[in-house]
Amino acid sequence: MENSPLTGWHGTLLHVDLAAGTSRVEPIPRDLLLGYLGGRGLGVRLLRGAHTLDPFHADMPLIFAVGPLCGTPAPTAARLNVVSRSPLTGTVYDCSAGGRFAHRLKAAGFDALRIVGRSPRPAAISVTPEGGEILPAGSLWGKSVGETVRALEGRGSVAAIGPAGENGVLFASILMGEGNAVGRGGLGAVMGGKNLKAIAVNGSRSTGIADRARFERARQDVMRLFRASPVIFGELGISEYGTPALVDLMRQRRMAPTENFRKTVFEGSGSYSGPSIRKAYGSKKDGCHGCPIQCKKSDREGAHLPEYETVSHFGALNGIDDLGSIVRSNRLCNELGMDTISAAATLAAWGEGRGRFPAADEVEGLLADMAFLRGEGGLLAQGSRRVAQALGKPGLSMSVKSLELPAYDPRGAYGMALAYCTSNRGGCHLRAYPISHEILRKPVATDRFSFSGKARIIKIAEDTNAAVDSLVACKFSFFGATLEEYAEMLAAVTGEEFGPQSLKEIGERICLTERFYNCANGFDAKDDRLPERFFREPGSSGEGIEIPPIDEKRFDEELRKYYRIRGLTPEGTFSDPGYLSRLP
Amino acid sequence: MRDQIARYAGKLLADRSALPGHIAFAAHDDVLLSEGHPKLARLCEGVLSSLSCLGLAAARPSLPFADFLVRRAGKEASRIVPQDTETRTFLHDIPFLRRDELGNDAPARIADLLGSRKGMIAEGLGIVAAGAVTVEQAYIHYSSIFHAAFVKYLLDVLSEGFRLPGEREAFEEFRRSWLRPLDAEGLAFRGAPLEAPEEILKEIAAVGRYTVERGLVDSFFGNISLRAGGTIYISQTAASLDDLAGRIDPVPMDNSSTTGITASSELLAHRRIYEESCGRAILHGHPKFAVAMSMVCEEKGCSVTDCWRDCDKVRWLGDTPVVAGEIGAGGLARRVPPVIAGPRKAMVYGHGVFTLGLDGFADAFRAMVDVENGCRREYFRRLSPKLAG
Ligand SMILES: [Zn+2]
């Protein structure tokens, strides 16, 4: 039935023009929904045509997109993706975040919210089933994320930027009212550049499910797989300890980035391990709306506790073993609206450059300086690549495409090394997420010290995760479930048949679209590079585990394989300039 | 890639789940490659070329049970629904294509099916299974389908008897020559006290290997642990019992470290068993007759419909208690520890066997052999009227 109505989607987006002060509802063509699903895929597709604009250009869209599973009881599906072009990396950028905001945007009756233009004065947007309303937000400008969220509480769920986003910090984040971050890539600065302080969404529309019995069967299958997964519901897993459950594991595997990646073991990491945080703060389960895993942790007062990446980077990467300082740094970043990974990694690069890493009691002051561009903060606000360049030591930026690497040393997982480079948004662990099989043994284990087969594995995983980001579901679900069960839920919701293979084909289309945009902005193989340190210096070997430098020849060989598998030229570009025009 | 193929083709031979000479694999690196039985290898290449997966296995099973199940299935059926936990949890059900459905374009038909499933049965050809990430995964899915078909066929024959020409003869041949006696004769076990970590790791790896080499269990599913002082040494999740060297996690009993996040999904069950018993070693596997017999339930007028999850009775099969409970956080860890301390063995509905050793693995291993032998005897005792009929 070519034109039968699709359940799962509303089929509409809300377009808001901040310069004109107008908004309108637009239909989304059926072939875009079926071809890109929602979330990341739909957002990336909607960016087409604007993808070569400067990230701070007034016409650069900032897109919030939910997926067809959002609003259903599909586990971990109350998520959205924010898509634009990153001022930090210059690449197309999307960020997945959970929380009530996604759920409410869907309930307002929209699959996406597209914002363009620059408001003449500080503004906020209120989205309801009636459409968009632009509100003056002069009184909120300069306020922290928490204050902003509280001020708009009556209007529904809120996403807001802090002072960092207002001031154009290149790694400024967008925070959801419940504490979920659109963390990486500086999309908060794009929002600030539009003079947009906050968005509030409200509504109560439901999402249809075409076949409830089929949906419920698939949902039960997913829950059974979650319970069978030690990483998810095991007594040492993320449901119990949150992602800091990884602290002890990365220490044991000798791949915890330490002192700006000079070492890979930090003797003080035990002070911020999952069990240590639980002991010190009485961690309670917390998390995204409707998620059964509840991997976020909060303290006795309900304040959010940091994630693995954050504790490890404010900890080991800066040589700090003071849990109190780490927890305060995390809170401050969330109030100021800054990505914790890039903030901590920029401090570490700067610390190595000047010969001294910041002390535990200096970090908060430096973070505030960054957000308000005070003193050295003005430089630090530009991220590690620009800091290292300014110091005359470009090699000290531990980043790929200017995105600071998270807390998995690539010398300890070769698939991760490759995936950092092939990622379309720069040095990110979540695009192909090889940590899943190289370290956590899910769905099966691969040899972390081998490149064999990794190019193909990374390609398949990138496609898979692009589909996951477009459903939108949480990556952590796939420590237990597979695309098979999620495809079954999607089919039950939409009434259209999907399977892992068709989802991976959609994922491939999304990945190649992103790569095409990047190539249009001048990116090619020269940018798919790890910092030299990883090819020259060993990590911290010991306890029977050898962490040598990465074999550069073997790495290059596998990267070339990746280009061949992707159908790209040896330069990592497209031989067909008309590639996009043949896609839906 | 070729070394991976050789390795898993070897495992299919060693565990006798595939017919020698009728095994093929394909793998997708930057190029597509295949090995094994020429016709099956061509099939593998044909299927894999249109799938976004790394590996594919196709082999004719060493027993005709899968084909029998397809032929016994109703005319409208397109899948079989085995009741064991491996299927229930990971495969959900097993789709098949009949001989006439495969037609002239078997690769395309099979690829179509595998586009949404982990593995399938192609009547007359064998089991075809995909691995999204590794060649090993294709082997695991093959092995699971073989296991599921084996267990389902045992149960179907027990309840419905033989229906097809040649079935009875094939079953008798299976009993006569495929099944081999199980025992622990000639195996060396280290006795107490096992305290040195090196010794412990070696012993766990050795005993894990015994369980597979002796044909007691398939390689991939199952787990094993030993407690020494405040530490549980336990096999990792997704580790094969016959390949545990370097895949054993030391986990502190008091949860002071989360290094064991990679430990077996049954860590919680193991820990609770240690807390509630004086045992020091635990063995868990899925011996096929035990899995089948655990589901032979004679309760009358029972209101439970989800037996795996909701049955809270303790049934007895001889002197072995049988309880229900799903994997991991799904309830098995709650129901096994209270019943295992005394008999030092327990069965889980549709799933497998746990055994407990007092100071090492010798008694745990023998107990598992005894449970499976007992289940075999009981199975054939119950089947004898049908075999005679
Ligand atoms: Zn088991």
Side-chain angles (χ1 to χ4, degrees):
Chain A
M1 293 287 283
E2 192 52 31
N3 288 310
S4 63
L6 294 165
T7 46
W9 291 278
H10 296 300
T12 51
L13 67 80
L14 181 67
H15 177 93
V16 177
D17 185 334
L18 288 168
T22 58
S23 75
R24 63 172 188 269
V25 178
E26 285 180 18
I28 307 174
R30 179 190 172 95
D31 62 332
L32 294 198
L33 297 175
L34 291 174
Y36 296 89
L37 300 176
R40 172 175 163 192
L42 181 62
V44 165
R45 174 61 185 82
L46 292 173
L47 198 67
R48 194 196 286 183
H51 60 271
T52 52
L53 292 178
D54 185 88
F56 289 123
H57 191 288
D59 293 339
M60 171 56 72
L62 179 66
I63 299 162
F64 293 69
V66 294
L69 293 184
C70 185
T72 75
T76 80
R79 299 184 73 82
L80 55 65
N81 277 58
V82 184
V83 179
S84 191
R85 193 174 164 207
S86 162
L88 181 69
T89 65
T91 64
V92 56
Y93 210 93
D94 80 283
C95 233
S96 169
R100 204 167 289 272
F101 186 91
H103 187 71
R104 286 272 168 259
L105 177 58
K106 185 77 176 271
F110 303 107
D111 298 314
L113 166 66
R114 181 175 58 203
I115 302 160
V116 298
R118 181 184 157 85
S119 169
R121 58 197 71 83
I125 300 173
S126 168
V127 177
T128 65
E130 281 68 55
E133 185 189 348
I134 298 169
L135 312 168
S139 62
L140 296 176
W141 207 252
K143 294 267 195 295
S144 73
V145 169
E147 291 165 324
T148 308
V149 170
R150 280 190 293 280
L152 291 168
E153 235 159 26
R155 290 189 175 267
S157 291
V158 179
I161 58 169
E166 297 170 12
N167 295 328
V169 174
L170 292 186
F171 44 88
S173 59
I174 304 169
L175 269 294
M176 306 291 170
E178 305 83 33
N180 304 76
V182 176
R184 309 218 65 194
L187 299 182
V190 174
M191 189 159 150
K194 298 190 178 309
N195 252 334
L196 178 61
K197 179 66 179 176
I199 304 161
V201 289
N202 212 354
S204 55
R205 292 200 180 164
S206 57
T207 299
I209 296 177
D211 184 341
R212 287 205 172 259
R214 184 179 181 187
F215 177 84
E216 188 50 28
R217 264 196 313 279
R219 197 187 68 84
Q220 289 292 346
D221 287 342
V222 167
M223 289 307 298
R224 195 175 296 118
L225 286 162
F226 281 8
R227 291 192 291 268
S229 166
V231 183
I232 297 178
F233 277 137
E235 53 171 343
L236 304 174
I238 56 173
S239 181
E240 286 296 323
Y241 290 97
T243 52
L246 295 173
V247 170
D248 290 327
L249 187 65
M250 292 302 140
R251 158 67 185 81
Q252 196 275 337
R253 300 292 194 270
R254 307 188 77 83
M255 54 180 291
T258 301
E259 294 177 8
N260 201 34
F261 292 83
R262 286 202 305 216
K263 303 177 191 163
T264 58
V265 169
F266 180 52
E267 291 307 337
S269 67
S271 66
Y272 51 78
S273 70
S276 298
I277 296 177
R278 172 181 281 191
K279 209 167 148 201
Y281 293 91
S283 321
K284 293 188 314 248
K285 289 189 185 185
D286 197 340
C288 301
H289 177 69
C291 172
I293 304 174
Q294 298 289 291
C295 76
K296 293 214 182 329
K297 299 293 161 247
S298 55
D299 68 12
R300 294 180 189 89
E301 280 74 50
H304 289 288
L305 292 163
E307 302 266 353
Y308 166 66
E309 316 293 335
T310 306
V311 290
S312 191
H313 270 10
F314 277 118
L317 201 70
N318 283 286
I320 291 171
D321 63 2
D322 178 337
L323 177 58
S325 151
I326 292 168
V327 169
R328 285 193 302 277
S329 299
N330 178 60
R331 270 187 206 147
L332 192 57
C333 283
N334 289 342
E335 281 304 318
L336 298 171
M338 288 193 296
D339 173 30
T340 53
I341 300 177
S342 284
T346 300
L347 284 180
W350 176 71
E352 186 178 359
R354 66 171 183 158
R356 186 173 72 78
F357 291 99
D361 58 2
E362 289 174 320
V363 175
E364 283 176 89
L366 287 165
L367 291 173
D369 290 348
M370 275 183 195
F372 293 101
L373 314 182
R374 288 190 301 242
E376 302 221 60
L379 175 62
L380 293 170
Q382 298 179 46
S384 70
R385 185 178 65 77
R386 293 163 178 92
V387 167
Q389 225 141 32
L391 294 177
K393 298 172 179 174
L396 294 186
S397 171
M398 296 295 119
S399 61
V400 175
K401 300 184 184 70
S402 307
L403 188 70
E404 288 76 14
L405 300 182
Y408 310 94
D409 196 290
R411 288 164 293 197
Y414 293 174
M416 190 71 263
L418 193 63
Y420 279 146
C421 297
T422 61
S423 155
N424 288 329
R425 66 175 204 175
C428 164
H429 56 300
L430 290 168
R431 297 280 104 163
Y433 212 12
I435 294 304
S436 181
H437 49 88
E438 292 191 314
I439 303 297
L440 294 168
R441 311 181 61 81
K442 292 295 163 195
V444 285
T446 63
D447 181 354
R448 66 183 176 120
F449 293 118
S450 165
F451 278 110
S452 173
K454 291 290 167 68
R456 172 72 61 177
I457 296 175
I458 296 301
K459 186 268 181 195
I460 293 172
E462 284 175 343
D463 295 348
T464 299
N465 286 339
V468 168
D469 283 334
S470 307
L471 287 170
V472 179
C474 174
K475 304 276 184 349
F476 293 164
S477 296
F478 298 82
F479 290 139
T482 68
L483 220 41
E484 187 176 320
E485 295 80 27
Y486 272 85
E488 187 65 13
M489 283 194 293
L490 182 63
V493 166
T494 61
E496 297 279 320
E497 284 309 311
F498 290 93
Q501 179 63 25
S502 61
L503 287 182
K504 282 185 262 191
E505 286 164 10
I506 291 171
E508 177 176 48
R509 179 181 305 140
I510 297 166
C511 289
L512 286 174
T513 299
E514 292 170 347
R515 179 116 196 159
F516 192 94
Y517 291 176
N518 287 345
C519 290
N521 284 311
F523 287 90
D524 58 21
K526 72 175 179 324
D527 302 292
D528 298 344
R529 284 294 298 174
L530 278 177
E532 286 300 302
R533 167 163 281 168
F534 300 117
F535 299 115
R536 309 281 169 262
E537 301 170 23
S540 310
S541 303
E543 298 166 324
I545 300 174
E546 202 59 35
I547 309 285
I550 295 169
D551 178 342
E552 192 169 4
K553 249 187 71 200
R554 190 63 190 85
F555 175 90
D556 286 338
E557 192 185 314
E558 205 61 22
L559 186 61
R560 282 195 299 274
K561 258 190 200 176
Y562 173 87
Y563 295 149
R564 280 201 295 278
I565 292 168
R566 277 272 180 228
L568 301 168
T569 69
E571 288 73 46
T573 55
F574 289 73
S575 50
D576 173 11
Y579 171 75
L580 280 191
S581 62
R582 288 184 287 104
L583 300 182
Chain B
M1 230 38 112
R2 290 194 190 273
D3 55 329
Q4 293 288 305
I5 290 177
R7 176 183 167 83
Y8 293 104
K11 287 188 83 156
L12 289 180
L13 286 175
D15 65 17
R16 298 191 301 127
S17 62
L19 212 58
H22 290 77
I23 300 172
F25 278 87
H28 218 168
D29 197 356
D30 54 339
V31 291
L32 185 60
L33 52 95
S34 69
E35 303 227 342
H37 182 274
K39 188 174 157 219
L40 286 175
R42 270 199 309 282
L43 175 81
C44 280
E45 285 207 16
V47 174
L48 193 57
S49 64
S50 49
L51 285 182
S52 184
C53 285
L54 191 130
L56 195 83
R60 180 185 288 273
S62 57
L63 294 167
F65 297 170
D67 270 3
F68 284 154
L69 288 171
V70 170
R71 288 164 58 196
R72 288 167 67 111
K75 280 273 163 286
E76 302 301 306
S78 58
R79 60 205 172 115
I80 57 171
V81 189
Q83 303 291 305
D84 65 287
T85 0
E86 286 181 31
T87 305
R88 187 173 141 86
T89 310
F90 301 102
L91 300 171
H92 313 311
D93 56 43
I94 303 170
F96 60 75
L97 288 171
R98 295 178 207 263
R99 216 181 284 266
D100 57 335
E101 292 172 306
L102 287 164
N104 293 329
D105 198 7
R109 298 300 314 278
I110 293 172
D112 227 28
L113 204 50
L114 290 183
S116 54
R117 306 306 303 272
K118 299 178 184 82
M120 54 84 67
I121 300 166
E123 189 193 357
L125 284 175
I127 295 170
V128 187
V133 181
T134 60
V135 173
E136 182 193 22
Q137 230 181 342
Y139 158 78
I140 293 165
H141 294 150
Y142 176 95
S143 177
S144 260
I145 292 176
F146 181 81
H147 173 90
F150 192 118
V151 170
K152 180 173 169 56
Y153 189 68
L154 290 184
L155 289 171
D156 286 5
V157 165
L158 189 60
S159 60
E160 299 160 6
F162 302 110
R163 289 174 168 184
L164 308 167
E167 238 186 322
R168 178 196 310 272
E169 294 72 18
F171 195 82
E172 276 165 356
E173 175 62 17
F174 149 71
R175 187 180 178 181
R176 206 167 35 240
S177 46
W178 195 92
L179 272 187
R180 290 177 183 169
L182 292 173
D183 59 51
E185 293 315 307
L187 296 177
F189 293 94
R190 286 165 215 241
L194 266 177
E195 299 293 347
E198 283 308 306
E199 291 276 290
I200 292 170
L201 298 179
K202 270 191 205 145
E203 178 69 353
I204 292 176
V207 175
R209 212 167 48 241
Y210 296 163
T211 61
V212 180
E213 283 172 2
R214 289 292 165 119
L216 192 51
V217 300
D218 296 334
S219 129
F220 186 70
F221 288 92
N223 37 74
I224 172 172
S225 78
L226 193 139
R227 182 177 60 87
T231 303
I232 302 172
Y233 294 85
I234 185 166
S235 53
Q236 292 184 333
T237 184
S240 289
L241 284 169
D242 53 349
D243 192 18
L244 290 180
R247 296 177 184 87
I248 298 161
D249 280 337
V251 182
M253 284 284 276
D254 65 358
N255 279 351
S256 55
S257 155
T258 53
T259 308
I261 189 174
T262 50
S264 160
S265 53
E266 305 302 4
L267 169 64
L268 181 60
H270 286 239
R271 181 195 308 274
R272 288 195 180 153
I273 292 171
Y274 289 129
E275 282 167 358
E276 295 185 22
S277 74
C278 49
R280 282 206 54 199
I282 295 169
L283 206 50
H284 166 59
H286 302 178
K288 295 183 178 63
F289 281 84
V291 174
M293 289 309 295
S294 72
M295 288 188 279
V296 177
C297 173
E298 277 146 352
E299 293 287 332
K300 299 255 179 321
C302 178
S303 60
V304 173
T305 51
D306 190 332
C307 307
W308 302 263
R309 193 185 66 195
D310 298 336
C311 175
D312 53 14
K313 296 201 178 69
V314 181
R315 296 182 293 125
W316 290 84
L317 206 76
D319 55 355
T320 310
V322 185
V323 295
E326 293 186 309
I327 302 180
L332 163 174
R334 198 170 61 242
R335 295 206 183 99
V336 171
V339 300
I340 199 174
R344 287 188 257 145
K345 54 190 177 180
M347 288 161 64
V348 180
Y349 185 93
H351 179 162
V353 179
F354 283 84
T355 59
L356 185 60
L358 282 192
D359 20 59
F361 286 109
D363 42 347
F365 192 91
R366 283 190 193 99
M368 190 171 285
V369 168
D370 290 346
V371 169
E372 178 65 354
N373 277 334
C375 287
R376 271 192 197 182
R377 272 195 306 277
E378 181 59 16
Y379 176 82
F380 286 113
R381 191 186 68 75
R382 288 175 186 237
L383 189 69
S384 60
K386 293 203 167 78
L387 276 173

